[in-house]
Amino acid sequence: MVKQPKISVVSAIYNSSHIVSEFISEVKKQLENITPEYELILVDDGSGDDSWLEIEKNCSIEMRIKGIKLSKNFGQQIALSAGLKKASGKKIIILDSDLQNPPQAIPLLLENLDLGFDIVYTVSKIRNNWWDEFTSSIFWYIINSFFKVNMVPNQLMMRAFTKKTLTYFNRYEERIRFIAGITHDLGLPFKVLSIENNRRKVGIRNYTFLKRFQLMIDLIISSTIQPLNFLIYISLFCFLMTIIFFARSLIFYVLYPNVPLGYTTIVILISFFGSTTLIFLGLIGRYLSNIYVEVRQRPLFVIDSTINIHR
């Protein structure tokens, strides 16, 4: 009978063959100082390099290291969800595999989990470079200050949670999914830890500005209907502006009947309403596209093969 691990660590791997072994070594070093009863689940998210070969090599050496190979690139959020479906520890930790989330913080996360919290978040303003730090700050400002989602700002992927939290998390079957959004939605007691995130030393970042922007849009749409409320407010504003332009045109027509009027007003109105209409349609279309993805009920992920996983 396979003994249930006390700690499960889950991480997604994507085109990271150059750092997989180092990542495993750093995580093992921290876990073995706590307990020998752990598992490290690595999910290969359709890598195009030798990442899976590196995972296989390490799994063949150590049974506590477990591998999941997805059939294609599903994205980090789903890849981690696939790993969490297989996690069986009493305490669970997820973190990035590029060593920007410091494995040295693992004991601190577990200590705070023992204080009675169900979730322990890690936060840091340090990102890969100044541009990532700037866009990240804008990201969280828009989500929390503008759309009032009220998530933990500047949170990293690295976090810890209890088996109870994992059980609730795994009940969320949505296809457009974000770990930050789901853990926030659970509403369970949490602790926030400020840690020193590392800058990337090797390789290239996977989150470009465009991907970060797409992530922000989907996270907002999946977490709140506030954008639809804004459409109502903007529509009322447009209606008010229409009344003002109408009154202005009427006054000029009465005061200056021989002067051709209307050209500027028409251009302004066409530009104003044309641009706002496109924004409305784009936002509504995004909601509809997410609904379409959900109602198809396709599998969240497809596992090609596994190593050292027995359930």
Side-chain angles (χ1 to χ4, degrees):
M1 181 177 179
V2 179
K3 193 172 184 180
Q4 181 185 20
K6 294 181 179 179
I7 303 171
S8 295
V9 177
V10 180
S11 187
I13 306 292
Y14 181 67
N15 291 341
S16 301
S17 60
H18 57 283
I19 204 171
V20 169
S21 294
E22 182 182 355
F23 171 74
I24 292 173
S25 175
E26 290 295 327
V27 173
K28 283 179 60 180
K29 188 187 303 181
Q30 300 301 321
L31 293 175
E32 287 174 352
N33 288 331
I34 301 170
T35 176
E37 299 172 19
Y38 68 84
E39 63 179 359
L40 173 55
I41 302 175
L42 304 175
V43 185
D44 180 13
D45 188 24
S47 297
D49 62 0
D50 293 333
S51 293
W52 181 244
L53 294 178
E54 289 294 319
I55 293 172
E56 282 185 314
K57 180 179 71 175
N58 283 277
C59 287
S60 64
I61 298 172
E62 173 62 75
M63 290 293 293
R64 291 176 295 185
I65 301 173
K66 304 177 180 183
I68 299 174
K69 186 177 189 298
L70 300 185
S71 61
K72 65 176 184 178
N73 177 242
F74 286 90
Q76 183 189 32
Q77 306 293 324
I78 291 181
L80 286 171
S81 296
L84 290 171
K85 286 281 188 181
K86 299 295 184 180
S88 56
K90 297 177 181 178
K91 300 173 183 176
I92 299 90
I93 293 176
I94 58 175
L95 74 164
D96 289 335
S97 61
D98 55 11
L99 293 177
Q100 287 188 259
N101 297 164
Q104 294 78 10
I106 288 176
L108 185 59
L109 266 70
L110 295 173
E111 288 173 12
N112 280 270
L113 211 58
D114 289 334
L115 297 177
F117 298 101
D118 287 303
I119 306 171
V120 179
Y121 293 99
T122 62
V123 299
S124 176
K125 292 186 177 181
I126 299 176
R127 294 298 188 269
N128 190 45
N129 52 48
W130 71 269
W131 175 249
D132 284 350
E133 290 168 3
F134 173 73
T135 55
S136 178
S137 64
I138 297 297
F139 176 96
W140 288 111
Y141 175 81
I142 292 174
I143 288 177
N144 286 334
S145 299
F146 196 69
F147 289 109
K148 308 298 182 183
V149 177
N150 296 323
M151 287 186 183
V152 175
N154 300 312
Q155 62 178 274
L156 304 172
M157 181 57 73
M158 188 178 195
R159 68 200 64 203
F161 40 86
T162 60
K163 183 71 173 179
K164 179 179 78 173
T165 305
L166 178 64
T167 301
Y168 287 131
F169 179 93
N170 285 334
R171 292 178 183 174
Y172 282 71
E173 295 293 340
E174 58 210 51
R175 273 64 185 163
I176 307 296
R177 64 193 290 111
F178 299 94
I179 290 172
I182 294 175
T183 53
H184 168 75
D185 189 70
L186 290 174
L188 296 171
F190 66 88
K191 176 72 177 292
V192 179
L193 291 180
S194 179
I195 67 171
E196 192 75 14
N197 197 42
N198 298 318
R199 296 187 187 274
R200 184 185 294 273
K201 296 180 181 179
V202 294
I204 60 174
R205 59 195 176 106
N206 293 320
Y207 274 111
T208 62
F209 172 76
L210 183 59
K211 287 183 177 180
R212 192 185 297 275
F213 180 76
Q214 293 287 341
L215 177 67
M216 180 187 71
I217 295 297
D218 281 333
L219 182 56
I220 290 170
I221 289 175
S222 64
S223 303
T224 178
I225 62 170
Q226 192 66 27
L228 295 177
N229 293 330
F230 278 127
L231 291 187
I232 297 174
Y233 303 147
I234 295 173
S235 298
L236 292 174
F237 174 75
C238 292
F239 180 71
L240 177 62
M241 293 300 294
T242 302
I243 295 175
I244 293 173
F245 276 117
F246 176 77
R248 173 185 176 278
S249 299
L250 185 61
I251 291 171
F252 271 74
Y253 177 77
V254 172
L255 294 178
Y256 308 102
N258 297 324
V259 179
L261 299 173
Y263 176 78
T264 303
T265 302
I266 290 174
V267 170
I268 292 174
L269 287 175
I270 290 175
S271 300
F272 182 71
F273 289 110
S275 59
T276 52
T277 299
L278 289 175
I279 293 172
F280 296 167
L281 291 175
L283 188 56
I284 294 171
R286 194 59 178 266
Y287 271 100
L288 291 175
S289 69
N290 284 8
I291 292 172
Y292 176 62
V293 170
E294 296 297 335
V295 299
R296 285 188 299 179
Q297 290 290 300
R298 291 187 175 184
L300 186 60
F301 51 81
V302 177
I303 295 177
D304 183 15
S305 57
T306 62
I307 305 176
N308 295 340
I309 291 179
H310 307 289
R311 70 182 189 94

